[in-house]
Amino acid sequence: ASNDGFAAGVNAGLTAASGCDVLVLNPDIRLDPGSVAALRESLLRPGTGITGITVPRLLDAEGQVHPSLRRRPSVPRAFAAALLGGTRAGRVPALGELIIDPAPYLRGGVAAWATGAAWLISADCIAMVGHLDERYFLYSEETEYMLRAADHGFVVRLAPAAVAIHLGGAQTRSPSLWALSVTNQVRLHRERRGMAAAGAMWLALVLSETLRLIAHRHAGRRRHLAALAALARMRRWPQRPTAGAEPVMARPGYLCFSAQDWWYHNRAHSDFQLMREIARHRRVLVVNSIGLRMPLPGRSTHVARRILRKLRSVAKLVRRPVPGLPEYYVMSPLPLPLYHIRGLRALSAILVRAQVRAVCLALGMRAPVIITTMPTAWDVVRPMRRHSLMYNRSDRHSEFPEADRATIEGLERELLCSADRVLYASRSLLASERALTGERAHFLDHGVDIGHFRRRDAAELPADLARIPEPRVGFFGALDGFLVDFGLLERVAAELPEVSLVLIGDATHPMDRFEKYPNVHWLGFRPYEQIPAYGSGFAVGIMPWLDNPWIAHANPIKLKEYLALGLPVVSTPFAEIAHYADRVSVAAPADFVAAIRSALAGGGAGTPQSRRDSVLGASWVARSAELIELAEGQQPSDSKPVRP
């Protein structure tokens, strides 16, 4: 056992209760009867903003109301609290972080954040915001989480009918806890506002603790001295107090060789979704795709554009592209994607490995968990020090039309035999390769961003979609010729002239074949952030796949995204869809148009809410926690890379 801190304990509960609203209670909280029901009722009640978190009215041990609501922390408010005291400053909203006005405690109200001794978090909020940041260890993690929830459009609301007695007191009695709470305020400001703002907050807190040290001649002097000492020598992150416990930053980093390019591909892909969630708890470096082969005229589409795009990606060097995720890094190494030429393949591996190693060393990732989705990364990672090697077997890349089949099949086989774990999103693909992977195979289903994929009102539909006549049958995603049955799409357009067929996504297949159909609307690529708004305007979501080896072992993320939006879904058959037969209409190409007609007329299997409810447990938060457990449960292979 180890003392992993408040956030780690809450995160364990969030993982265990995936898809549920979660009530967080300190051990020193005593709830009045009916308070949980009141919190949940407040969570569901419409009001200003989308309620993601509700808190009770807190009373102290004497039964007096304890001010627990806060305004957004800022440097001016910290200086005002230092000079006037938190309570006096709180009487003026511009000066005080603490909300003193009794009205919201009696009638209910919203706040930037609230005391984290008792709070109910909605399933939608958890799905969108993720887990608490464990780096704080204790104090400020609930503040950071609630401010992050606000960044995603959620509000914190006090439910006055819910009452809790908070015994409390440990923070004010313990110098070490007081010092930790003070220094974490600086850390919080650094992560959200940058180093300059953190420096100003540090000065405000030094002033505050110095004035209080002078004022408190006897009681309280030890805690203010401890706070000043901690501010003078504060670490980047708190060190765990338990003797022998593993420091937070000693946990392995994660190095992911993605099959996609962060800068140019859809960020809904599983590599990015999983790594973003893991970056809330670990340092992560995502290596953009190093490809399967060099784009060539006659074999590849948009050759010049793809080469130029890769060079632009490489020119971005190493970046932290996600606000609020300072431990999420992305890089694009310069490869020589001539994998069918043995000598150049070895040279490319050396070149890419040197670039990746240099960045890993700069980030302090000496023996990371390595996750590879691209089989061409095997030559790169083979000799690298690592904690464990995970092969994310998302597809049979050797079936990719542009791939050199023999070379890629060989790399796939070596990875299947050498990885500590092989992660499958397709049960049929797992079963077909069980002879090679044995007990190292693990089914890790795709997730869905539940909070992001929620149905928007008609007023929130994008203008270009709103102009298209209803009913709209839609598809969003890559319009690739080796995946999508374009002949079937043309049949839909021809046989359902009264229906608008809306296609959203970048196309590698000629789209001029649809110009003769006035009911076909190809809107092109749209950013991931906008996709739920477009999907909300569909009457039916479709998946018109080709029948080929690639699709046979696929598990499209868009299926769960359609369901999270509550859409009726019509799909051509493939192995994984059999597990969704109770909520999806599966139709062969000959019956596809009839299935769309039926879904339009009858609303599809189930109801919009039942379809959404069916995927609530499939959040990326839960999937990333499962991946961490698999990756860090392996026997470390820091000094001895696994060899086939």
Side-chain angles (χ1 to χ4, degrees), residues 109-134:
V110 299
W113 67 281
T115 302
W119 42 313
L120 179 65
I121 320 171
S122 74
D124 278 355
C125 182
I126 296 167
M128 181 175 283
V129 181
H131 282 186
L132 278 70
D133 191 332
E134 297 179 18

Side-chain angles (χ1 to χ4, degrees), residues 487-512:
L488 182 54
L489 281 177
E490 195 166 354
R491 270 192 51 219
V492 171
E495 296 181 27
L496 295 173
E498 73 282 6
V499 169
S500 296
L501 178 59
V502 181
L503 306 175
I504 298 172
D506 208 357
T508 60
H509 181 87
M511 299 297 286
D512 52 5

Side-chain angles (χ1 to χ4, degrees), residues 466-479:
R467 287 193 293 266
I468 297 172
E470 296 184 84
R472 307 180 194 99
V473 171
F475 173 94
F476 53 71
L479 291 158

Side-chain angles (χ1 to χ4, degrees), residues 148-188:
R148 188 162 21 115
D151 296 339
H152 286 81
F154 294 99
V155 299
V156 177
R157 189 180 302 279
L158 184 135
V163 179
I165 295 175
H166 184 206
L167 301 179
Q171 178 185 355
T172 57
R173 291 193 300 268
S174 168
S176 60
L177 293 181
W178 181 266
L180 182 56
S181 71
V182 170
T183 53
N184 271 357
Q185 293 177 57
V186 179
R187 296 181 177 105
L188 176 66

Side-chain angles (χ1 to χ4, degrees), residues 45 106 127-128 152 182 212 260 387 420 519 550 594 614 627:
R45 184 183 303 159
L106 298 175
M128 181 175 283
H152 286 81
V182 170
R212 277 147 187 74
Q260 315 299 327
H387 183 279
D420 294 307
N519 61 326
W550 185 284
S614 73
L627 177 53

